[in-house]
């Protein structure tokens, strides 16, 4: 088969091997790392709420078109038992009634302060404003649909108090509230089997790809030292993670700091979310390629390389699939190739899922959603492929264009809790 005069047939076999072995070995890698983290760093321990005088923390909530969730979130946060906190909500030029609702809530809740912006300048800019207004050294950033567990603030801030001055951020453990649809249950499986395993493994390595924007606590001094969040990056959480770690601030993962959130329940909502995530990851790759010039950055090299290789894998999968469709003599040839590869990958993904669910079962009743795992591996890898391809030109344009990275209205699913 020729492509613009280039014979690609000799390249198909090594590409096909790469398409199969990369996710296979990475699944084994995530399994090993998750187990190691769980056995050595995730031991059961009772939290003594009276062990010290807990410092003031500032809870920052950037909002854009959140009229259906923000009042419930503020009410929930205000009831937290943590003894010393303030809430700062920023309305970032919402086109709905978010601003009016927040202004009304400020009269109702003594802890709440509101910054009402009339122009949408993006989540990073909203966080900039909230950080400058915050009275505390410890900034807990949450999304406008976030329900924190009672213990989450204690577990997060304890890292800063006990683990040294180089701790710049601690990311928590997002859990899914809406669990009534196939798409939301599949994402619940994803957050356990993929995201949870990756966070645990990367923390064992010492560097992580990104904090979770829905629940993360920062040391304000660390943020100021790197210029706060990048206003021109579509995913401010990924971008700031790299800035902190390049400047040798430590980022920790605390799985006991739970945060209940809403996830998209439509294909279009998931697509937009994942393209944004992938675009953010690729923007980071384009911006921070210089890490290989500095030997001191070597601990983050594996995270960078894995991100690049995952993008290359998506293009390799597409090339191999198209080639096989175009050259297969019979449908049986296609089915044999796909069946063998799918069986092996589903098997190792299944092992990863069991271990991940075992890890998360101590915090959340996730084992009852085990049956939905059968759908997940195939859909995840196919969706991820097309998401990466769609995000690449967006990332390149964003790096060339610059300017504020604004956000659009998020898909919060059915906007209800099924806990």
């Amino acid at each position: 088969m020729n492509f613009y005069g280039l014979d690609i047939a000799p390249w198909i076999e090594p590409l096909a091997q790469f398409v199969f072995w990369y996710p296979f070995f990475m699944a084994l890698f995530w399994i090993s790392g998750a187990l190691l983290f769980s056995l050595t760093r995730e031991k059961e321990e009772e939290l003594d709420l009276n062990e010290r005088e807990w410092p003031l923390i500032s809870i920052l909530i950037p909002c854009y078109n959140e009229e259906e969730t923000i009042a419930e979130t503020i009410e929930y946060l205000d009831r937290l038992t943590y003894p010393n906190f303030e809430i700062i909500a920023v309305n970032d030029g919402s086109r709905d009634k978010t601003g009016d609702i927040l202004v009304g809530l400020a009269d109702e809740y003594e802890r709440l302060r509101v910054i009402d912006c009339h122009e949408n300048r993006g989540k990073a800019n909203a966080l900039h404003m909230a950080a400058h207004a915050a009275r505390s050294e410890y900034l807990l950033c949450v999304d406008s649909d976030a329900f924190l567990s009672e213990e989450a603030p204690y577990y997060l801030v304890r890292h800063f108090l006990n683990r040294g001055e180089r701790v710049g951020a601690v990311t928590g453990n997002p859990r899914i509230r809406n669990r009534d649809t196939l798409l939301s249950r599949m994402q619940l499986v994803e957050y356990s089997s993929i995201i949870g395993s990756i966070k645990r493994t990367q923390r064992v390595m010492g560097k992580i790809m990104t904090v979770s924007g829905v629940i993360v606590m920062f040391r304000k001094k660390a943020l100021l030292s790197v210029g706060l969040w990048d206003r021109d990056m579509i995913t401010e959480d990924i971008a700031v993670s790299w800035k902190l770690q390049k400047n040798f601030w430590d980022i920790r993962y605390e799985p006991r700091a739970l945060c209940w959130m809403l996830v998209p329940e439509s294909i279009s909502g998931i697509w937009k979310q994942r393209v944004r995530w992938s675009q953010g990851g690729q923007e980071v790759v384009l911006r921070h390629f210089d890490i290989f010039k500095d030997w001191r950055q070597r601990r983050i090299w594996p995270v960078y390389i894995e991100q690049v290789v995952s993008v290359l894998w998506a293009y390799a999968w597409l090339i191999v699939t198209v080639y096989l469709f175009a050259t297969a003599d019979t449908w049986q040839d296609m089915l044999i190739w796909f069946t063998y590869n799918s069986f092996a990958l589903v098997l190792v993904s299944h092992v990863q899922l069991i271990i991940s669910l075992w890890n998360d079962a101590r915090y959340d009743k996730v084992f009852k959603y085990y049956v939905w795992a059968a759908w997940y591996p195939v859909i995840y890898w196919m969706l991820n492929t097309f998401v990466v391809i769609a995000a690449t030109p967006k990332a390149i344009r964003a790096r060339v264009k610059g300017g504020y990275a604004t956000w659009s209205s998020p898909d919060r699913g059915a906007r209800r809790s099924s806990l």
Side-chain angles (χ1 to χ4, degrees):
M1 182 177 179
N2 291 325
F3 183 76
Y4 288 100
L6 176 66
D7 183 13
I8 64 172
W11 298 93
I12 291 301
E13 180 58 28
L15 280 179
Q17 293 295 321
F18 171 59
V19 165
F20 172 76
W21 288 112
Y22 171 70
F24 186 86
F25 279 118
M26 288 310 300
L28 295 178
F29 184 65
W30 303 136
I31 289 170
S32 303
L35 275 175
L36 185 59
F37 182 95
S38 179
L39 294 174
T40 61
R41 308 189 185 194
E42 208 166 346
K43 299 177 181 178
E44 296 284 347
E45 61 177 294
E46 190 171 329
L47 181 65
D48 183 4
L49 304 185
N50 300 314
E51 66 177 296
R52 57 164 54 91
E53 183 177 343
W54 297 95
L56 172 70
I57 64 173
S58 300
I59 302 178
L60 313 185
I61 314 174
C63 308
Y64 181 69
N65 291 352
E66 302 287 4
E67 63 180 5
E68 296 186 39
T69 62
I70 190 58
E72 183 183 30
T73 298
I74 297 296
E75 178 186 3
Y76 197 93
L77 290 173
D78 189 70
R79 295 202 304 262
L80 289 174
T81 59
Y82 189 86
N84 196 10
F85 70 96
E86 63 175 354
I87 305 172
I88 302 175
V90 181
N91 173 42
D92 188 43
S94 298
R95 294 174 295 174
D96 61 5
K97 298 179 182 178
T98 300
D100 295 334
I101 293 172
L102 283 173
V103 171
L105 291 171
D107 294 330
E108 183 178 350
Y109 296 101
E110 183 179 349
R111 291 189 179 98
L112 174 64
R113 288 188 286 149
V114 172
I115 301 174
D116 192 11
C117 305
H118 298 287
E119 185 176 354
N120 177 12
R121 290 295 182 92
K123 186 177 180 180
N125 188 69
L127 288 170
H128 264 257
M129 302 181 72
H132 286 298
R135 300 189 180 104
S136 172
E137 173 65 7
Y138 307 109
L139 311 180
L140 174 52
C141 302
V142 300
D143 283 351
S144 59
D145 63 327
F147 286 5
L148 296 180
S149 68
E150 288 289 348
E151 297 84 8
Y154 298 96
Y155 278 123
L156 292 171
V157 78
R158 197 166 63 166
H159 280 270
F160 297 98
L161 304 179
N162 294 349
R163 304 299 183 184
E165 286 294 318
R166 295 311 300 174
V167 177
V170 184
T171 185
N173 187 1
R175 313 307 305 164
I176 292 175
R177 289 166 54 192
N178 49 328
R179 305 181 175 192
D180 298 328
T181 66
L182 172 62
L183 289 177
S184 63
R185 289 173 179 177
M186 286 175 59
Q187 290 174 84
L188 188 150
V189 171
E190 175 191 16
Y191 272 80
S192 291
S193 66
I194 300 292
I195 297 177
S197 293
I198 290 175
K199 283 282 195 298
R200 287 176 170 88
T201 303
Q202 290 180 342
R203 181 54 213 160
V204 169
M205 295 165 58
K207 302 291 183 180
I208 68 172
M209 177 64 190
T210 179
V211 298
S212 296
V214 66
I215 174 172
V216 55
M217 182 176 286
F218 294 100
R219 188 188 299 273
K220 191 174 183 179
K221 180 173 68 174
L223 285 174
L224 291 173
S225 73
V226 299
L228 300 175
W229 297 268
D230 289 330
R231 293 183 174 97
D232 61 339
M233 301 285 273
I234 193 68
T235 50
E236 86 298 331
D237 47 358
I238 303 177
V240 78
S241 301
W242 281 74
K243 288 174 66 176
L244 287 171
Q245 292 176 121
K246 282 184 68 178
N247 285 273
F248 308 105
W249 290 99
D250 190 23
I251 296 181
R252 295 182 171 269
Y253 172 57
E254 178 49 76
R256 291 163 294 193
L258 305 180
C259 175
W260 305 92
M261 64 179 186
L262 296 169
V263 294
E265 292 183 337
S266 66
I267 295 295
S268 62
I270 293 176
W271 174 261
K272 291 177 182 177
Q273 180 194 63
R274 300 314 166 90
V275 169
R276 184 175 63 84
W277 288 0
S278 182
Q279 178 185 340
Q282 293 181 50
E283 287 182 8
V284 162
V285 165
L286 293 173
R287 173 163 290 184
H288 295 290
F289 67 89
D290 60 339
I291 60 169
F292 295 100
K293 299 177 181 179
D294 188 350
W295 175 250
R296 296 175 302 168
Q297 305 290 345
R298 62 191 179 278
R299 293 180 66 193
I300 204 171
W301 291 354
V303 180
Y304 186 99
I305 292 170
E306 194 278 327
Q307 182 69 18
V308 172
V309 174
S310 67
V311 173
L312 296 177
W313 181 92
Y315 284 94
W317 182 91
L318 182 63
I319 292 170
V320 171
T321 303
V322 170
Y323 179 86
L324 291 175
F325 268 111
T327 60
D329 295 327
T330 64
W331 282 106
Q332 286 82 355
D333 293 341
M334 285 295 302
L335 289 174
I336 290 173
W337 187 83
F338 277 110
T339 301
Y340 170 76
N341 285 277
S342 297
F343 174 78
L345 292 179
V346 168
L347 178 62
V348 72
S349 297
H350 188 76
V351 174
Q352 180 179 342
L353 173 66
I354 294 296
I355 293 172
S356 301
L357 291 180
W358 172 74
N359 278 332
D360 280 347
R362 71 191 75 180
Y363 313 116
D364 186 9
K365 298 176 181 179
V366 290
F367 262 117
K368 64 181 178 179
Y369 299 100
Y370 169 80
V371 66
W372 303 102
W375 296 88
Y376 182 71
V378 174
I379 294 178
Y380 172 81
W381 289 108
M382 292 181 65
L383 176 65
N384 186 63
T385 297
F386 295 109
V387 160
V388 167
I389 293 170
T392 300
K394 291 177 177 287
I396 295 173
R397 283 199 302 269
R399 291 299 87 229
V400 173
K401 182 180 178 181
Y404 287 97
T406 58
W407 46 358
S408 56
S409 299
D411 180 352
R412 300 295 190 198
R415 291 176 168 80
R416 64 182 179 275
S417 173
S418 58
L419 294 176

